[in-house]
């Protein structure tokens, strides 16, 4: 127990320093450097035990060479920040060290999950918060669930007979949707070629409907895309889905949090018409990783799709109401307790606290957008005001500003963001993502979900991009 | 930070009491009782925040009404115990709050995962520890990976074209294997009817091979079955797989830990001939939940099977060696850091420490088996000495001992284990699992994986079964 308290001491010091802007976000080293052993930090495992003192050193080193995702200047992923209540919740979860599959060994957590999912369904707008759901290990798996359930709804015999019992099925998803829909298509036996990317403007769906031998099954609308933060027009898509009797899934992994905000929830208008929704509190709502929910409007279908009735876990002759044993709804057997930290944060903040956090993050993005939209050396990647906290832009170093557009300039510009990012990581001052998209060369994608970030951190990021990129 | 330390105080007290045998394993309540609010423990969420004081009360209540899975007398699941090093590791993991998908934001954890997986592959016996692998959210998902990879190996075009690009594929798995193989069959589009349960004695495989229109793809051999703890004869199965060119997977979720023991690893002889292996350190090795590995002998196939090359995460133009970005190998996008607690425990115990733990648990099971095999009122479910820590038995209350065998006695016996279990849970003294299996009525399945358990706890369990069951 003394050991545990010494680790706590290391951890609380780490947390304090993480919130201190004079601390570096990271102390970058290449894989081979860490593998060679930094100042005695030996990653290799051996037959003989190490002393507890050495274990404490290992803990310190692990944190030292890691990345401070809670740092106010860490903007690299959709998930960032370090909420102390959420952290305490996660510590309690690991101390309880149990499993969500039965009420028997996780009575409190199972009930918390049920109540929280109901609350989320109410916010989606399903009547009475009815329906079903689960917390799953991440948005990709939540999206995979939606495809599985859609298939079970229309072709339940696939569960027993396999894909040969169904016609050739097609999944539709918006062009900028997350790659996990394609991944689900590959894994579940649809094939990536049968996952059709479409821009909703094209009304591609109608055309596809007529292609012989292909049966449309499922449409994914994105509520907050990964790179642009764009929201598909859910109502329009829902009209098409209703007309053609297709399953409508809304991937709100990133944007679902906006349902908490009276000011911004209109961006998800129509979500109440979806058959299923992915919503990751570990992204926009600052809940520690992992915390992702798949929510389903129809009751019973999740269990219908996945249950195998394993006798050793789900005995029907238990003394309690076994409908509380949720394990057979999942594709997992054991399932990590992801609910408690979220439940505890909700208790501590109230719905109103999440709303304030979300509104503040969107305000900060607006601040960034206003700051750079007409600033010399910046070009926005898409027109108009960002709908989410994503602000996508090119930084044009002075050397490229006078250059005529063309392949040479594009090629040079393509190398700017990676170079700045590499220097950022080496100086350890801040982190922000970049990527190409379609025929667009590498650009920065700034996102804000970190509760610790302020306007001064946005200013710092811009200063840093200019400092590092000025002479490129 | 003061708040966090107060939570730590609650947690360390909880841990201390968990190891104290005078503490109850659980304080059982029915779902409706907890939902009605026990002594003010209100599970409902609301718009307004709660005070931090109330949050601390919530934490205490959550633990109070939960189940102490680390208690020396908790034998209910394959995962039990509470290792303090592992717990500290998990606290550090949640404090670091990062994601395994890129080296960029999880440099140390990514390397720890690689080194640990290599070490595990060495213990399996693959030359030079070569191959690939991932930690996944549980054994069911690890098993699902094995089926996906097998399909990709023999029919890579299924990834793009779907199951219609392959003939009707059949998966084989041993009769007592875990239900997750069937679940994978349903999810991945094979269909549960094409997951054939077989006893290896039947040599069913050969017959099936000849059935027209069906192509055998994959065989799962179980290394430590869930209920009986039985080990399939891997070498015999490997011979058949080699002859017919089938993928051999070994589900060592439960039994894999025995590879750590020089005394017991022979039970997995032949595992080095497998194409893939599931091994859950969170079961037999006492690592906190969740910690499950899928290990693959062939390098590159995991990425081949699952990669989608998402540009926003896996940029090829990063400054470091991007082969360390492991995310595209996974069916998940974000992936929880499951490695650190395991790595830290391995450092602290050494391989030798895991070996001692495993040998001790098997000795305890042997002790239980010797104690009850000839004891009045006990009937063993299967013949011979247990191969793993599973000891399966019926307790026959005195009222049934004189009764002739037949449907009436079977029906009565079927109700004994659930009744004793219900009383156990209500008195909160200990927990052990039960289930029916095939035509066998409900029996107890005792398993030992808890490092805190001793012979006195085994004695206690038997006394308790007799105390509660005597008058049934």
């Amino acid at each position: 127990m003394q050991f545990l308290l010494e680790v706590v001491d290391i951890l609380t010091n780490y947390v304090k320093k993480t919130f201190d802007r004079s601390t570096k976000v990271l102390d970058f080293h290449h894989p081979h450097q860490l593998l060679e052993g930094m100042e005695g930090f030996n990653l290799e495992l051996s037959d003989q035990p190490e002393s507890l003192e050495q274990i404490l050193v290992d803990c310190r080193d692990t944190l030292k060479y890691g990345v401070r995702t809670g740092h106010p200047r860490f903007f690299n992923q959709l998930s960032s920040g370090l909420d102390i209540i959420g952290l305490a919740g996660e510590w309690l979860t690991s101390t309880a060290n149990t499993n969500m599959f039965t009420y028997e060994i996780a009575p409190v957590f199972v009930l918390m999950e049920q109540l929280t999912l109901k609350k989320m369904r109410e916010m989606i707008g399903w009547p009475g918060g009815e329906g079903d759901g689960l917390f799953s290990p991440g948005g990709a798996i939540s999206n995979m669930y939606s495809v599985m359930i859609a298939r079970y709804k229309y072709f339940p015999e696939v569960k027993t007979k396999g894909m040969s019992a169904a016609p050739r099925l097609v999944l539709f998803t918006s062009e900028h949707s997350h790659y996990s829909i394609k991944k689900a298509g590959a894994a579940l036996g649809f094939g990536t070629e049968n996952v059709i990317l479409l821009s909703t403007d094209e009304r591609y769906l109608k055309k596809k409907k007529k292609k012989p031998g292909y049966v449309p099954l499922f449409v994914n609308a994105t509520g907050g895309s990964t790179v642009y933060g764009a929201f598909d027009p859910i109502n329009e898509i829902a009209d098409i889905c209703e007309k053609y009797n297709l399953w409508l899934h809304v991937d709100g992994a990133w944007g679902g949090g906006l349902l908490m905000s009276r000011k911004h929830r209109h961006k998800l208008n129509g979500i109440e018409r979806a058959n299923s929704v992915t919503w990751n509190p570990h992204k926009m709502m600052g809940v520690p990783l992992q915390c992702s929910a798949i929510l389903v409007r129809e009751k019973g279908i999740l269990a219908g799709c996945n249950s195998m009735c394993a006798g050793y876990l789900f005995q029907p002759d238990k003394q309690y109401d076994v409908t509380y044993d949720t394990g057979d709804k999942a594709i997992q057997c054991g399932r990590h307790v992801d609910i408690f930290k979220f439940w505890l944060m909700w208790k501590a903040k109230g719905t109103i606290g999440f709303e304030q956090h979300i509104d503040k993050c969107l305000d900060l993005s607006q601040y960034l957008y206003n700051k750079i939209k007409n600033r010399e050396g910046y070009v926005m990647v898409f027109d108009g005001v960002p709908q989410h906290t994503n602000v996508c832009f090119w930084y044009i170093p002075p050397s490229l500003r006078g250059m005529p557009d063309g392949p040479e300039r594009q090629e040079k510009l393509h190398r700017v963001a990676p170079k700045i990012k590499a220097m950022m990581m080496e100086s350890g001052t801040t982190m922000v993502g970049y990527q190409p998209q379609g025929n667009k060369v590498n650009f920065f994608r700034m996102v804000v979900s970190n509760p610790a970030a302020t306007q001064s951190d946005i200013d710092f990021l811009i200063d840093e991009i200019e400092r590092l990129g000025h002479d490129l």
Side-chain angles (χ1 to χ4, degrees), chain A residues 351-403:
Chain A
T351 313
I352 220 166
F354 282 123
E355 177 177 49
Q356 285 163 357
H357 163 66
I358 282 154
D359 289 352
K360 185 196 141 195
C361 288
L362 275 108
D363 284 352
L364 273 179
S365 288
Q366 186 70 43
Y367 172 81
L368 169 62
Y369 173 74
N370 290 336
K371 182 177 174 118
I372 63 174
K373 67 177 171 186
N374 297 316
R375 191 182 178 98
E376 197 187 352
Y378 290 81
V379 176
M380 306 310 289
V381 172
F382 55 85
D383 292 334
V385 179
Q387 293 183 277
H388 203 321
T389 74
N390 307 51
V391 179
C392 294
F393 60 92
W394 287 282
Y395 169 71
I396 320 285
S399 68
L400 296 184
R401 287 182 201 166
M403 226 175 138

Side-chain angles (χ1 to χ4, degrees), chain A residues 104-164:
Chain A
E104 189 172 326
I105 65 162
V108 182
F109 298 133
V110 163
L111 296 177
M112 285 173 174
E113 181 175 66
Q114 291 214 352
L115 292 170
T116 307
L117 288 170
K118 183 160 190 284
K119 203 78 179 153
M120 293 170 88
R121 290 190 300 262
E122 283 168 5
M123 303 193 99
I124 287 170
W126 290 334
E130 284 296 303
D132 209 337
L134 274 179
F135 281 83
S136 96
I141 301 284
S142 292
N143 285 340
M144 182 189 269
Y145 268 113
S146 72
V147 178
M148 287 175 63
I149 302 165
R151 182 175 63 183
Y152 181 73
K153 172 73 180 174
Y154 291 97
F155 300 98
E157 62 281 13
V158 170
K159 182 179 178 180
T160 48
K161 299 195 179 303
M163 287 297 263
S164 61

Side-chain angles (χ1 to χ4, degrees), chain A residues 19 80-89 119 123 257 260 262 281-288 340-361 449-453:
Chain A
F19 294 137
S80 64
L82 187 58
D83 184 276
I84 296 297
I85 305 282
L87 181 60
K119 203 78 179 153
M123 303 193 99
M260 293 279 192
R262 281 164 290 190
H282 72 213
K283 293 199 163 81
M284 194 59 210
M285 293 164 69
V287 177
F340 182 67
K341 58 197 162 197
F342 181 31
W343 180 90
L344 198 69
M345 281 175 70
W346 203 326
K347 278 278 186 189
K349 286 174 187 290
T351 313
I352 220 166
F354 282 123
E355 177 177 49
Q356 285 163 357
H357 163 66
I358 282 154
D359 289 352
K360 185 196 141 195
C361 288
S449 64
N450 192 333

Side-chain angles (χ1 to χ4, degrees), chain A residues 58-130:
Chain A
D58 289 340
C59 287
R60 270 187 218 101
D61 285 344
T62 299
L63 292 169
K64 177 170 160 48
Y65 298 109
V67 176
R68 294 179 185 268
T69 60
H71 194 288
R73 291 171 184 167
F74 176 85
F75 303 111
N76 208 63
Q77 313 297 144
L78 304 185
S79 302
S80 64
L82 187 58
D83 184 276
I84 296 297
I85 305 282
L87 181 60
E90 199 64 347
W91 287 9
L92 184 145
T93 299
S94 14
T95 311
N97 192 32
T98 195
N99 195 313
M100 292 297 284
F101 47 38
T102 60
Y103 178 86
E104 189 172 326
I105 65 162
V108 182
F109 298 133
V110 163
L111 296 177
M112 285 173 174
E113 181 175 66
Q114 291 214 352
L115 292 170
T116 307
L117 288 170
K118 183 160 190 284
K119 203 78 179 153
M120 293 170 88
R121 290 190 300 262
E122 283 168 5
M123 303 193 99
I124 287 170
W126 290 334
E130 284 296 303

Side-chain angles (χ1 to χ4, degrees), chain A residues 6 8 18 21 29 33 57 71-72 83 87 100 102-103 154 163 166 193 197 213 237 254 257 263 289 333 431:
Chain A
E6 285 180 48
V8 167
T18 291
R21 288 179 175 75
H29 293 86
Q33 293 173 310
V57 175
H71 194 288
D83 184 276
L87 181 60
M100 292 297 284
T102 60
Y103 178 86
Y154 291 97
M163 287 297 263
E193 286 179 5
L197 304 184
I237 297 172
W254 173 224
K263 188 171 163 191
L289 289 158
C333 173
M431 279 178 83

Side-chain angles (χ1 to χ4, degrees), chain A residues 165-231:
Chain A
R168 194 136 167 200
L169 300 172
V170 177
L171 313 173
F172 294 95
T173 183
S174 46
E175 207 181 334
H176 294 292
S177 67
H178 192 260
Y179 71 98
S180 52
I181 301 289
K182 267 188 127 168
K183 247 184 195 187
L188 304 178
F190 293 82
T192 52
E193 286 179 5
N194 300 313
V195 182
I196 311 288
L197 304 184
L198 54 92
S199 82
T200 46
D201 299 337
E202 288 173 26
R203 298 281 181 272
Y204 196 57
L205 208 55
K206 286 188 193 176
K207 272 191 273 170
K208 269 287 155 189
K209 175 76 190 170
K210 287 172 195 150
K211 192 168 168 185
Y214 287 81
V215 176
L217 173 76
F218 166 100
V219 181
N220 171 59
T222 303
S225 65
T226 313
V227 177
Y228 289 174
F231 288 80

